[in-house]
Amino acid sequence: MELRAIGLGLAFALMWSSAFTSARIIVADASPLFALSLRYLVSGIIGIALARALGQSWHLTRAQWRATIIFGILQNTVYLGLFFIAMQTIEASFAAIIASTMPLMVALAAWLFMGERLGPLGIAGLVAGLAGVALIMGTRITQGADLTSVAICIIGVLALTIATLTVRGASSGGNLLMVVGLQMLVGCVTLSIATLLFETPQVNPSWTLALAFIYTCLVPGLMATWVWFNLVGRIGATRAATFHFLNPFFGVAIAAVLLGESLGSRDIVGVGIIAAGILAVQISRQTKA
């Protein structure tokens, strides 16, 4: 794998993992759906403006439009909307661990429903990864983690899994930054509707909220998505997904450093098992591809 692809993969994993900590800060001072819809409005406008400045067109292919809309709804509205709601009551590190199971879910769905072959290493990785998740969940639940929020996160991961299976259609055909901006606006529209239906917007202004919001708009929101599409376009979705094995490590480390969230020995062991499982699954899928 070329050095540029490795750099893109590391950058994506770090930015993606940091989103849980910044989201946790945001939902402490703002209603989640309103804050997220505003984030997508800002990110989408910036993304489209930059894309136009670079000469990109919003005249996408039919496949790109379809994938952009599906990706915008499933990832931006369902997955992140549910996670923002859940992170009002669960820690950022726990949310990051649950979200990091997405590559395992993708591999499982591709194996069961799409006819993708998964060798012994991949099957062992699935079993190990899910065992690591069960270990951490069991510990957190016995410590009083909110079961409703955990269930909400699991539903969100399922939505992200479906979104990930559509990313190839969005990343082919060029205009990557325009695709990123447009799928942000899709999320903005659908989340605005959800806000009107289910939420009374509330904001407690603070510098911490402002910095977290700006960071979330520009880095996990805009840059990470653009980097992911570039990475997929450069090395393919299967090989790009290998970098997800870093997400559990980065997610819990950033939350521990910035939010002071504590980690027990079972958490550390579980994170290691999940990461090893994700890596084994992706190596197996890459070998079979």
Side-chain angles (χ1 to χ4, degrees):
M1 189 181 296
E2 61 179 328
L3 288 177
R4 180 176 176 81
I6 293 174
L8 288 172
L10 291 174
F12 165 76
L14 185 60
M15 289 186 289
W16 190 89
S17 301
S18 69
F20 300 95
T21 293
S22 61
R24 176 74 168 164
I25 296 171
I26 289 171
V27 299
D29 287 317
S31 48
L33 298 181
F34 172 71
L36 193 55
S37 62
L38 185 59
R39 163 196 160 176
Y40 283 132
L41 177 63
V42 174
S43 298
I45 291 173
I46 293 174
I48 290 172
L50 290 174
R52 291 297 294 167
L54 294 171
Q56 295 185 17
S57 171
W58 44 50
H59 298 294
L60 307 180
T61 66
R62 182 174 298 180
Q64 279 186 312
W65 272 117
R66 182 172 60 251
T68 298
I69 292 171
I70 294 173
F71 197 78
I73 292 173
L74 290 178
Q75 174 179 276
N76 297 341
T77 303
V78 181
Y79 159 65
L80 275 177
L82 291 177
F83 265 75
F84 262 57
I85 291 171
M87 277 190 287
Q88 294 176 107
T89 55
I90 65 172
E91 293 184 328
S93 57
F94 192 21
I97 290 167
I98 297 174
S100 69
T101 63
M102 181 272 293
L104 301 174
M105 298 297 185
V106 169
L108 182 61
W111 181 37
L112 294 178
F113 305 115
M114 300 175 66
E116 182 176 304
R117 297 176 60 192
L118 195 63
L121 178 63
I123 295 173
L126 275 176
V127 173
L130 295 176
V133 173
L135 176 63
I136 293 174
M137 278 194 174
T139 301
R140 295 297 182 99
I141 289 172
T142 57
Q143 292 174 350
D146 183 68
L147 292 178
T148 300
S149 294
V150 173
I152 287 173
C153 287
I154 292 172
I155 295 171
V157 171
L158 292 176
L160 180 59
T161 298
I162 298 172
T164 301
L165 294 173
T166 71
V167 72
R168 187 184 300 273
S171 60
S172 60
N175 294 319
L176 289 181
L177 190 54
M178 181 62 72
V179 168
V180 171
L182 289 172
Q183 58 102 349
M184 297 287 180
L185 291 188
V186 170
C188 173
V189 171
T190 50
L191 280 165
S192 295
I193 296 172
T195 299
L196 292 173
L197 292 175
F198 303 114
E199 193 175 80
T200 300
Q202 295 179 344
V203 178
N204 297 316
S206 68
W207 282 111
T208 302
L209 173 62
L211 291 174
F213 182 82
I214 293 170
Y215 174 84
T216 305
C217 287
L218 297 180
V219 182
L222 194 59
M223 290 180 62
T225 308
W226 179 79
V227 167
W228 172 251
F229 282 158
N230 267 279
L231 185 63
V232 170
R234 181 174 291 271
I235 64 176
T238 300
R239 297 179 71 191
T242 304
F243 289 97
H244 278 289
F245 90 95
L246 294 169
N247 292 334
F249 289 117
F250 285 158
V252 299
I254 293 170
V257 171
L258 297 182
L259 300 179
E261 294 185 2
S262 60
L263 292 174
S265 57
R266 289 190 179 183
D267 291 324
I268 296 172
V269 171
V271 165
I273 294 173
I274 294 169
I278 293 172
L279 184 59
V281 166
Q282 297 307 330
I283 291 174
S284 177
R285 294 182 72 205
Q286 184 175 324
T287 302
K288 297 295 181 181

